[in-house]
Amino acid sequence: MTPDFGARIAALQDGMHEQHLDGLLLSGMANVRYLTGFSGSNALLVVTVRGSVILITDFRYQTQVADEVGDAARIVIATNSLWTELWTVLATVAGLEVIGFESAHLLHRDFERLLGDGARWQWRPARDLVESLRERKDAGEIALIEIAARIATEALADTLPQIRVGQSETAIAGILEKALRDAGSEGFPFATIVASGPRSALPHARSSLRTVESGDFLLIDFGAIHEGYCSDITRTVVVGKASDEQRQVYDAVRVAQEKACTDVRAGMRGREADAIARDYLRDAGLAEGFGHSLGHGIGLEVHEGPRLASTADGILPLDAVVTVEPGVYRAGWGGVRIEDDVLLATAGPRRLTDFPRELLELS
Ligand code: ZN
Ligand code: ZN
C-alpha cells in the first residue's frame, strides 16, 4: 500500500498555515521519510504553503531517492553541500518570507547557517508539526507495525528454548538478534536489552557479560523493524524455578499491564492511561518500584508521541500505536517489566504483540 503523501503534505500545510509560516525546512529524517518516503540518512526537505515540496539530497542517493519518492517531491541532487543547494533552491521559490525550522532536529551549527547565508529569510522555530501528524497511524502504517510485532514475537519464541544457565547476557542478546534477522527484521530499533538477576532492576540496562544463574529473572526488551516501522516488546522470565517473591511481583505487574492494555482508550489523556497501571501498583504496595512512565508511541521511531506518563496532558489520538510497559524494580534484587504494543482503535484497544504473559520458567 503506497502511503498517501499528498494527504500528509496537505495536513502539514494546515499546521503551517496556523503558525503563519510560508514554508518549513525539515531536517528530521523520520519526518522526511513520513512526508516523502525517502529512507536515506542525509537530506533537507522544503515544504511551502503554496504547494512546493522540494527534497535535497546527495549523489549517493540518486537512484534510491527516485525509486522511493517518485513524484511526491521535486528531487534535487546537491552537487556541493545540501546547504549551498538549499540557498539556490529557496531563491527560486516565490512568496517565501517566513520559514519554520525544526528546533528539535536542527544542529546549532546549522542554525547559524540560517542566520548567516540564510539571513534574507525570517526563520521561526517550529515544534512537532510533523510529529503530531505521525501520532495517528493510517491503515498501511498499522499493517507494517503489525508485521514488525510478529517478527519480534517469532524471534522471542525461537530464542527462549535456547537459553541456558551459564550464558552471558550479550550471548543471549546475540541469539535473539540473529532470530530477529532470520525472521526478517531490517535492524534493531535500539540495542537489545537482556538483563539478568539483580541487573533486571536497571530499567534501561545494557546487555553485559554477566552470566545467567538458576533462579534469575531475565528481562528481555527489544524490537524489530519492518519497512522502517518499529515494534517494541518486553518479557521477563525466570531461568529455573521462580520464588514466591518473584511470582508475587510478577503477578502484580502482569495484572497492572493487563488492566492498562484493556482500559486504555483514544481520547484519554496520557496521564489518565498512566494512572491505570500506577494506581493498581500503588494499591498493591509496589508504586515506588515503578519509576518510569507507562509507555510511548511507536512508528517510524521507537520512541515517539504520544506519551503515556503522569506528566502527559496530551490526548491520546485515535489510531495511535502505543506501548504499555509497567515495571517494578528492586535495587539489588531484580525487576519485572511487561511491554506490549497496542493500537488505540475505534472499537477499543487492540494488542499487536501476541505473546504469552504468564510467568515462564525456563528449564
Ligand atoms: Zn521496550
Ligand atoms: Zn518501550
Side-chain angles (χ1 to χ4, degrees):
M1 191 188 302
T2 311
D4 189 348
F5 296 118
R8 294 178 184 178
I9 294 285
L12 172 62
Q13 286 165 330
D14 288 347
M16 289 162 57
H17 198 78
E18 272 170 35
Q19 298 198 11
H20 309 290
L21 300 174
D22 304 320
L24 181 65
L25 171 67
L26 295 113
S27 50
M29 290 312 301
N31 290 340
V32 170
R33 185 168 188 171
Y34 179 76
L35 294 170
T36 67
F38 180 54
S39 70
S41 63
N42 188 39
L44 292 171
L45 178 68
V46 176
V47 177
T48 73
V49 283
R50 291 188 178 184
S52 297
V53 182
I54 306 158
L55 179 67
I56 306 168
T57 183
D58 68 71
F59 172 77
R60 294 171 299 165
Y61 293 113
Q62 197 157 18
T63 306
Q64 179 186 333
V65 72
D67 287 350
E68 290 179 337
V69 177
D71 57 6
R74 176 154 79 82
I75 297 162
V76 177
I77 302 296
T79 45
N80 201 328
S81 88
L82 300 189
W83 291 93
T84 312
E85 205 66 49
L86 176 69
W87 311 131
T88 311
V89 163
L90 288 182
T92 66
V93 180
L96 265 189
E97 219 168 285
V98 182
I99 310 176
F101 63 90
E102 294 187 290
S103 60
H105 302 294
L106 194 76
L107 293 174
H108 184 260
R109 178 191 72 198
D110 295 330
F111 172 70
E112 288 181 325
R113 298 182 205 267
L114 304 184
L115 304 182
D117 291 339
R120 60 179 276 194
W121 296 278
Q122 295 175 47
W123 296 96
R124 299 267 187 281
R127 283 197 60 181
D128 297 338
L129 275 174
V130 184
E131 283 84 346
S132 60
L133 302 177
R134 282 169 46 199
E135 290 188 5
R136 271 196 84 160
K137 269 64 185 180
D138 61 34
E141 294 180 287
I142 292 165
L144 297 178
I145 298 172
E146 276 192 279
I147 294 171
R150 205 178 316 135
I151 292 171
T153 52
E154 259 180 52
L156 185 60
D158 232 43
T159 299
L160 290 182
Q162 301 182 56
I163 294 175
R164 299 279 179 278
V165 165
Q167 287 169 333
S168 68
E169 294 171 357
T170 52
I172 295 168
I175 296 169
L176 177 56
E177 289 182 350
K178 177 173 189 311
L180 283 163
R181 286 297 202 172
D182 287 345
S185 185
E186 290 158 18
F188 315 112
F190 54 92
T192 298
I193 296 172
V194 174
S196 64
R199 296 193 78 256
S200 60
L202 308 171
H204 234 250
R206 293 242 168 258
S207 305
S208 78
L209 293 175
R210 184 185 184 278
T211 54
V212 173
E213 295 169 19
S214 182
D216 275 354
F217 268 138
L218 195 62
L219 186 153
I220 305 173
D221 187 351
F222 67 102
I225 309 176
H226 178 71
E227 290 188 28
Y229 282 81
C230 303
S231 58
D232 182 9
I233 174 170
T234 307
R235 287 295 183 268
T236 308
V237 300
V238 171
V239 182
K241 278 263 161 254
S243 69
D244 290 347
E245 190 182 5
Q246 282 174 324
R247 197 166 280 285
Q248 184 208 341
V249 171
Y250 186 92
D251 283 339
V253 175
R254 184 179 54 76
V255 174
Q257 203 258 1
E258 187 71 46
K259 284 176 98 63
C261 283
T262 310
D263 294 351
V264 65
R265 287 285 182 286
M268 246 178 202
R269 292 187 191 281
R271 61 175 150 77
E272 294 172 304
D274 180 272
I276 302 168
R278 199 168 302 280
D279 290 353
Y280 177 82
L281 289 173
R282 189 194 315 111
D283 294 346
L286 294 167
E288 80 287 348
F290 178 24
H292 57 74
S293 53
L294 181 67
H296 52 85
I298 56 169
L300 285 170
E301 291 175 290
V302 74
H303 289 114
E304 54 179 59
R307 292 193 312 125
L308 288 68
S310 56
T311 53
D313 275 331
I315 302 279
L316 303 180
L318 192 63
D319 294 331
V321 179
V322 300
T323 68
V324 172
E325 49 178 307
V328 167
Y329 313 91
R330 284 183 187 158
W333 178 75
V336 174
R337 180 165 68 255
I338 304 170
E339 173 179 29
D340 281 310
D341 302 340
V342 178
L343 166 67
L344 305 183
T346 317
R350 181 160 71 83
R351 245 191 268 244
L352 304 183
T353 37
D354 181 22
F355 197 87
R357 286 174 293 279
E358 300 79 45
L359 181 55
L360 297 176
E361 295 174 311
L362 305 184
S363 54

